[in-house]
Amino acid sequence: MTAQKDRATRDRIVRAAARLLTESDGEPVSTRAVCTAAGVGAPTLYHHFGDKQGLFDAVAAHGFEEYLASKRAQGSTGDPIEDLRRGWDLHVEYGVTHPAFYTLMYGTSRTPAAADEAHRILLGLIEAIARAGRLRVPVETAARVIHSAGVGVTLTLIASPAGEDADRDTSVRTREAVLAAVTVEDAAQADVPPSSHAVAPKAVALKAALAAAPPPALTPSEAALLSEWLDRVAG
């Protein structure tokens, strides 16, 4: 019973802090205001979260859980690049409609465990493109580029909103530029010289296939060496 009560109290504090953050319009939210909204004393808040940073780390984790609910529900179109487009749009839409949460999640909090799942979902979308032979660069490189660009454009739109149409145009232009840099629309028509036609996407595709089903004939050292070679070819 005590454990359940503790969890209920903790959740009430997090929800109160989240509500105040949403209503704050970018202004700082004090722990005193959170305590008042949650109906608890400061010792109770510090018992559960340690300090203000700990509280807002928990609020960021709460935001990630909301975000992940929509990511988990995203179905596949059958086209891995289109799936990634939809994932980008969902990410940006969450940020511009939940600016306080998003800024906390990606700007000021320590990374919560839920962020790892968000990253795994992104990797899964990119790995599907790699297996289809449509990725120009290694999976990890594409993930860093896409994540950095997606977070950057979202924070830019939050900081200087220009209206729904302008925001969408900025997001779409950035999205398409990034996709053009890391993918090929047709694996048979990569814009590389004929002598090395689509070599990089094929190397990335082979690495992704081997990662999904490691060949038992290779030792771990051999598999690591092959992975390194494929990364060089892809690069």
Side-chain angles (χ1 to χ4, degrees), residues 126 130 135-144 182 200 204 207 230-235:
I126 297 171
L135 195 65
R136 295 180 187 272
V137 298
V139 170
E140 295 79 6
T141 300
R144 286 195 297 272
V182 301
V204 174
K207 180 176 178 180
L230 291 171
D231 279 343
R232 290 186 188 178
V233 173

mmCIF file of all heavy atoms in Angstrom, residues 126 130 135-144 182 200 204 207 230-235:
data_model
loop_
_atom_site.group_PDB
_atom_site.id
_atom_site.type_symbol
_atom_site.label_atom_id
_atom_site.label_comp_id
_atom_site.label_asym_id
_atom_site.label_seq_id
_atom_site.Cartn_x
_atom_site.Cartn_y
_atom_site.Cartn_z
ATOM 1 N N ILE A 126 15.636 3.390 -40.311
ATOM 2 C CA ILE A 126 16.798 3.531 -41.197
ATOM 3 C C ILE A 126 17.314 2.168 -41.639
ATOM 4 O O ILE A 126 17.713 1.977 -42.802
ATOM 5 C CB ILE A 126 17.895 4.337 -40.495
ATOM 6 C CG1 ILE A 126 17.387 5.763 -40.212
ATOM 7 C CG2 ILE A 126 19.154 4.402 -41.349
ATOM 8 C CD1 ILE A 126 18.302 6.579 -39.333
ATOM 9 N N ALA A 130 18.131 0.590 -45.337
ATOM 10 C CA ALA A 130 19.400 -0.055 -45.677
ATOM 11 C C ALA A 130 19.167 -1.435 -46.284
ATOM 12 O O ALA A 130 19.780 -1.794 -47.297
ATOM 13 C CB ALA A 130 20.280 -0.162 -44.431
ATOM 14 N N LEU A 135 20.067 3.139 -48.904
ATOM 15 C CA LEU A 135 20.769 4.033 -47.980
ATOM 16 C C LEU A 135 22.172 4.296 -48.502
ATOM 17 O O LEU A 135 22.914 3.367 -48.803
ATOM 18 C CB LEU A 135 20.825 3.407 -46.583
ATOM 19 C CG LEU A 135 21.204 4.341 -45.431
ATOM 20 C CD1 LEU A 135 20.147 5.425 -45.225
ATOM 21 C CD2 LEU A 135 21.378 3.551 -44.127
ATOM 22 N N ARG A 136 22.540 5.573 -48.608
ATOM 23 C CA ARG A 136 23.851 5.952 -49.141
ATOM 24 C C ARG A 136 24.980 5.796 -48.141
ATOM 25 O O ARG A 136 26.148 5.647 -48.525
ATOM 26 C CB ARG A 136 23.846 7.428 -49.562
ATOM 27 C CG ARG A 136 22.939 7.808 -50.694
ATOM 28 C CD ARG A 136 23.089 9.310 -50.962
ATOM 29 N NE ARG A 136 22.121 9.785 -51.938
ATOM 30 C CZ ARG A 136 22.320 9.776 -53.250
ATOM 31 N NH1 ARG A 136 23.457 9.302 -53.734
ATOM 32 N NH2 ARG A 136 21.398 10.247 -54.070
ATOM 33 N N VAL A 137 24.676 5.916 -46.869
ATOM 34 C CA VAL A 137 25.693 6.003 -45.825
ATOM 35 C C VAL A 137 25.407 4.953 -44.763
ATOM 36 O O VAL A 137 24.306 4.393 -44.717
ATOM 37 C CB VAL A 137 25.704 7.417 -45.193
ATOM 38 C CG1 VAL A 137 26.066 8.473 -46.226
ATOM 39 C CG2 VAL A 137 24.345 7.737 -44.572
ATOM 40 N N PRO A 138 26.363 4.651 -43.894
ATOM 41 C CA PRO A 138 26.091 3.693 -42.816
ATOM 42 C C PRO A 138 24.899 4.114 -41.963
ATOM 43 O O PRO A 138 24.596 5.301 -41.816
ATOM 44 C CB PRO A 138 27.397 3.705 -42.008
ATOM 45 C CG PRO A 138 28.450 4.076 -43.002
ATOM 46 C CD PRO A 138 27.786 5.073 -43.914
ATOM 47 N N VAL A 139 24.235 3.130 -41.390
ATOM 48 C CA VAL A 139 23.039 3.373 -40.592
ATOM 49 C C VAL A 139 23.306 4.389 -39.484
ATOM 50 O O VAL A 139 22.520 5.317 -39.267
ATOM 51 C CB VAL A 139 22.511 2.048 -39.997
ATOM 52 C CG1 VAL A 139 21.411 2.312 -38.952
ATOM 53 C CG2 VAL A 139 21.976 1.146 -41.098
ATOM 54 N N GLU A 140 24.401 4.210 -38.758
ATOM 55 C CA GLU A 140 24.696 5.094 -37.629
ATOM 56 C C GLU A 140 24.905 6.535 -38.090
ATOM 57 O O GLU A 140 24.490 7.478 -37.413
ATOM 58 C CB GLU A 140 25.936 4.592 -36.879
ATOM 59 C CG GLU A 140 25.772 3.240 -36.210
ATOM 60 C CD GLU A 140 25.901 2.069 -37.188
ATOM 61 O OE1 GLU A 140 26.233 2.298 -38.389
ATOM 62 O OE2 GLU A 140 25.668 0.925 -36.758
ATOM 63 N N THR A 141 25.557 6.706 -39.250
ATOM 64 C CA THR A 141 25.764 8.052 -39.796
ATOM 65 C C THR A 141 24.430 8.696 -40.154
ATOM 66 O O THR A 141 24.168 9.860 -39.821
ATOM 67 C CB THR A 141 26.660 7.988 -41.040
ATOM 68 O OG1 THR A 141 27.927 7.426 -40.681
ATOM 69 C CG2 THR A 141 26.878 9.382 -41.630
ATOM 70 N N ALA A 142 23.581 7.935 -40.842
ATOM 71 C CA ALA A 142 22.260 8.461 -41.214
ATOM 72 C C ALA A 142 21.463 8.838 -39.978
ATOM 73 O O ALA A 142 20.781 9.879 -39.957
ATOM 74 C CB ALA A 142 21.510 7.423 -42.043
ATOM 75 N N ALA A 143 21.524 8.012 -38.928
ATOM 76 C CA ALA A 143 20.767 8.298 -37.710
ATOM 77 C C ALA A 143 21.224 9.603 -37.074
ATOM 78 O O ALA A 143 20.401 10.416 -36.636
ATOM 79 C CB ALA A 143 20.912 7.152 -36.715
ATOM 80 N N ARG A 144 22.543 9.831 -37.024
ATOM 81 C CA ARG A 144 23.049 11.077 -36.434
ATOM 82 C C ARG A 144 22.607 12.289 -37.245
ATOM 83 O O ARG A 144 22.189 13.312 -36.695
ATOM 84 C CB ARG A 144 24.578 11.037 -36.336
ATOM 85 C CG ARG A 144 25.116 10.140 -35.234
ATOM 86 C CD ARG A 144 26.580 10.421 -34.955
ATOM 87 N NE ARG A 144 27.416 10.138 -36.117
ATOM 88 C CZ ARG A 144 27.946 8.951 -36.389
ATOM 89 N NH1 ARG A 144 27.718 7.928 -35.590
ATOM 90 N NH2 ARG A 144 28.706 8.787 -37.447
ATOM 91 N N VAL A 182 21.118 11.189 -47.639
ATOM 92 C CA VAL A 182 21.427 9.878 -47.045
ATOM 93 C C VAL A 182 20.735 8.704 -47.728
ATOM 94 O O VAL A 182 21.051 7.547 -47.429
ATOM 95 C CB VAL A 182 21.074 9.851 -45.535
ATOM 96 C CG1 VAL A 182 21.849 10.929 -44.792
ATOM 97 C CG2 VAL A 182 19.585 9.993 -45.300
ATOM 98 N N ALA A 200 27.845 1.965 -52.820
ATOM 99 C CA ALA A 200 27.667 2.348 -51.421
ATOM 100 C C ALA A 200 26.352 1.830 -50.850
ATOM 101 O O ALA A 200 26.342 1.217 -49.769
ATOM 102 C CB ALA A 200 27.772 3.864 -51.265
ATOM 103 N N VAL A 204 25.955 -0.850 -47.675
ATOM 104 C CA VAL A 204 25.126 -0.587 -46.498
ATOM 105 C C VAL A 204 24.066 -1.665 -46.341
ATOM 106 O O VAL A 204 23.795 -2.145 -45.235
ATOM 107 C CB VAL A 204 24.472 0.810 -46.605
ATOM 108 C CG1 VAL A 204 23.498 1.027 -45.457
ATOM 109 C CG2 VAL A 204 25.531 1.902 -46.614
ATOM 110 N N LYS A 207 25.647 -4.877 -44.994
ATOM 111 C CA LYS A 207 25.942 -4.783 -43.569
ATOM 112 C C LYS A 207 24.666 -4.937 -42.752
ATOM 113 O O LYS A 207 24.649 -5.622 -41.721
ATOM 114 C CB LYS A 207 26.616 -3.449 -43.240
ATOM 115 C CG LYS A 207 26.943 -3.329 -41.748
ATOM 116 C CD LYS A 207 27.690 -2.059 -41.405
ATOM 117 C CE LYS A 207 27.935 -1.987 -39.896
ATOM 118 N NZ LYS A 207 28.663 -0.767 -39.497
ATOM 119 N N LEU A 230 32.907 -2.889 -45.007
ATOM 120 C CA LEU A 230 31.672 -2.391 -45.602
ATOM 121 C C LEU A 230 31.445 -0.915 -45.285
ATOM 122 O O LEU A 230 30.942 -0.154 -46.121
ATOM 123 C CB LEU A 230 30.483 -3.234 -45.143
ATOM 124 C CG LEU A 230 30.461 -4.670 -45.684
ATOM 125 C CD1 LEU A 230 29.368 -5.475 -45.010
ATOM 126 C CD2 LEU A 230 30.263 -4.683 -47.195
ATOM 127 N N ASP A 231 31.806 -0.512 -44.059
ATOM 128 C CA ASP A 231 31.694 0.904 -43.703
ATOM 129 C C ASP A 231 32.607 1.759 -44.579
ATOM 130 O O ASP A 231 32.237 2.863 -45.006
ATOM 131 C CB ASP A 231 32.057 1.121 -42.234
ATOM 132 C CG ASP A 231 30.911 0.802 -41.288
ATOM 133 O OD1 ASP A 231 29.759 0.733 -41.757
ATOM 134 O OD2 ASP A 231 31.171 0.607 -40.087
ATOM 135 N N ARG A 232 33.804 1.238 -44.877
ATOM 136 C CA ARG A 232 34.733 1.996 -45.734
ATOM 137 C C ARG A 232 34.160 2.140 -47.137
ATOM 138 O O ARG A 232 34.219 3.215 -47.741
ATOM 139 C CB ARG A 232 36.077 1.286 -45.794
ATOM 140 C CG ARG A 232 36.881 1.333 -44.499
ATOM 141 C CD ARG A 232 38.247 0.730 -44.717
ATOM 142 N NE ARG A 232 38.992 0.588 -43.470
ATOM 143 C CZ ARG A 232 40.206 0.046 -43.402
ATOM 144 N NH1 ARG A 232 40.800 -0.390 -44.505
ATOM 145 N NH2 ARG A 232 40.825 -0.055 -42.233
ATOM 146 N N VAL A 233 33.602 1.062 -47.655
ATOM 147 C CA VAL A 233 33.003 1.116 -48.994
ATOM 148 C C VAL A 233 31.819 2.090 -48.996
ATOM 149 O O VAL A 233 31.663 2.908 -49.905
ATOM 150 C CB VAL A 233 32.549 -0.280 -49.435
ATOM 151 C CG1 VAL A 233 31.772 -0.202 -50.744
ATOM 152 C CG2 VAL A 233 33.733 -1.219 -49.594
ATOM 153 N N ALA A 234 30.997 2.009 -47.967
ATOM 154 C CA ALA A 234 29.834 2.886 -47.888
ATOM 155 C C ALA A 234 30.244 4.336 -47.747
ATOM 156 O O ALA A 234 29.545 5.243 -48.219
ATOM 157 C CB ALA A 234 28.939 2.469 -46.710
ATOM 158 N N GLY A 235 31.375 4.551 -47.079
ATOM 159 C CA GLY A 235 31.828 5.921 -46.871
ATOM 160 C C GLY A 235 32.405 6.562 -48.105
ATOM 161 O O GLY A 235 32.654 7.765 -48.131
#
